[in-house]
Amino acid sequence: MGFTSNQFIYCIVVIILGLWVSQTVSLTLHDDASMLEKHEQWMALHGRVYKGVGEKERRFRIFKENVKFIHSRNSVRNRSYKLSVNKFADQTNKEFKAARNGYKGRFPLLGKSSRRFMYENVTDVPSSMDWRKEGAVTPVKDQGQCGCCWAFSAVAAVEGLTKLKTGSLISLSEQELVDCDDAGNDQGCDGGLMDDAFVYIKINKGIATNVTYPYEGVDNTCNRKKAASHAAKIKDYEDVPVNDEEALLKAVANQPISVAIDANGSDFQFYSRGVFSGECGTDLDHGVTAVGYGTDEDGTKYWLVKNSWGTGWGEQGYIRLQRDVDALEGLCGIAMDSSYPTA
């Protein structure tokens, strides 16, 4: 018995669909195999070891989704920055934020504008500034899985001031702040505030070096003997007027400044290079240090920001954040809560 025309067409369609499904499955398996190989290479590069097969499979799924996200974002034309498959690629954004962001600010912030601001009458600032070139910035550090970004931000600002005051660049102790500073909002690896860190250093009459009181990345009992070994001192601290990028520019032109930013987006997690102009809000959750500013080759103005996530993130541990945006609070809220120690 012969085929009718409809039966013949049906058979052709079934064959084509079968070939398409076969090819799709083959491509999917090939993609998964390729991704598995990438994950293995990434694990070796970053020394990542998982507790069991189940954990490895879960981390692979997260890794695969993150890689797809990164490739998707990088495929957008004319974007001023790029992302990379960095050491955080097997973490969800929620996990990443919980471990790395620990700023706990006080709100509302507008009351800070009434405090003294020593740079208020500054009228002449250089077109660019990089405190690294002036020897006022220590190498990039890594806070690890401890949410004490606030301590790294405050310490970097004190290190800069100490260099300007004494001529010596000294790496100071974040661990002392983690262990010993219980003023205000400061709660070690559970978060804190740069202003409160300055208050601790002032009341303690100084802070130890990293050599004397080395970083461990966990909450320990305060070692009073080590904390009494003062390598640097400050007189007090001041706040930069809120929501004023011009005021922040005057301050950064004169010394490294502690700043709070909204760093909770995936673009921030995987930032690699360029002037960051991505999506971010004003829910301040991360303490960093503004150590300069400048203008990119295409004319985009930026803030030069030192982070505490190691040199494998961003531009050797730094990010350039777009400057002079339309919003008063600045991109990622960088002009909302900034402060600096005084000599």
Side-chain angles (χ1 to χ4, degrees), residues 35 38-39 42 46 59-77 79 81-93 96 265-273 276 312-314:
M35 192 66 72
K38 288 180 180 178
H39 187 225
W42 177 89
H46 296 286
R59 291 298 163 188
F60 169 69
R61 289 194 296 271
I62 295 170
F63 177 84
K64 183 167 70 171
E65 289 304 311
N66 283 334
V67 170
K68 289 180 179 178
F69 170 81
I70 291 165
H71 287 171
S72 173
R73 299 293 279 175
N74 285 343
S75 67
V76 177
R77 286 188 174 185
R79 192 182 296 279
Y81 63 96
K82 292 292 185 181
L83 310 183
S84 68
V85 183
N86 60 25
K87 63 181 179 180
F88 306 123
D90 69 342
Q91 297 179 23
T92 66
N93 186 244
F96 174 77
S266 293
D267 276 17
F268 213 94
Q269 180 176 345
F270 301 116
Y271 167 78
S272 174
R273 67 184 188 276
F276 185 84
W313 177 88

Side-chain angles (χ1 to χ4, degrees), residues 238-256:
E238 294 178 357
D239 292 311
V240 178
V242 175
N243 295 341
D244 190 338
E245 278 199 276
E246 183 179 353
L248 182 57
L249 185 73
K250 293 178 181 179
V252 177
N254 284 278
Q255 66 183 95

Side-chain angles (χ1 to χ4, degrees), residues 49-60:
V49 178
Y50 301 117
K51 293 181 179 179
V53 175
E55 176 66 8
K56 184 176 181 180
E57 289 178 350
R58 190 172 81 85
R59 291 298 163 188
F60 169 69

Side-chain angles (χ1 to χ4, degrees), residues 26-39:
S26 177
L27 287 172
T28 300
L29 291 173
H30 178 270
D31 288 346
D32 277 349
S34 176
M35 192 66 72
L36 279 168
E37 184 179 356
K38 288 180 180 178
H39 187 225

Side-chain angles (χ1 to χ4, degrees), residues 294-338:
T295 305
D296 199 30
E297 294 177 354
D298 65 359
T300 304
K301 296 179 180 179
Y302 63 82
W303 296 107
L304 176 63
V305 176
K306 182 185 184 185
N307 203 351
S308 53
W309 295 342
T311 56
W313 177 88
E315 296 180 333
Q316 293 297 305
Y318 291 83
I319 184 171
R320 286 182 292 155
L321 278 177
Q322 187 176 1
R323 177 166 58 94
D324 281 356
V325 299
D326 290 337
L328 289 175
E329 60 270 16
L331 188 67
C332 303
I334 193 171
M336 291 178 65
D337 190 10
S338 49

Side-chain angles (χ1 to χ4, degrees), residues 85-128:
V85 183
N86 60 25
K87 63 181 179 180
F88 306 123
D90 69 342
Q91 297 179 23
T92 66
N93 186 244
K94 184 178 180 180
E95 290 173 328
F96 174 77
K97 290 186 293 183
R100 294 282 170 165
N101 299 351
Y103 164 88
K104 291 186 176 181
R106 300 187 184 94
F107 296 93
L109 296 167
L110 294 177
K112 287 193 168 194
S113 300
S114 62
R115 292 176 59 92
R116 178 176 180 267
F117 176 54
M118 70 167 65
Y119 300 121
E120 181 178 1
N121 297 321
V122 170
T123 57
D124 187 21
V125 299
S127 59
S128 64

Side-chain angles (χ1 to χ4, degrees), residues 4 20 67 97 116 136 153 164 172 179 204 211 271 296 316:
T4 66
W20 179 80
V67 170
K97 290 186 293 183
R116 178 176 180 267
S153 172
L164 297 177
L172 300 174
D179 292 350
N204 192 56
V211 173
Y271 167 78
D296 199 30
Q316 293 297 305

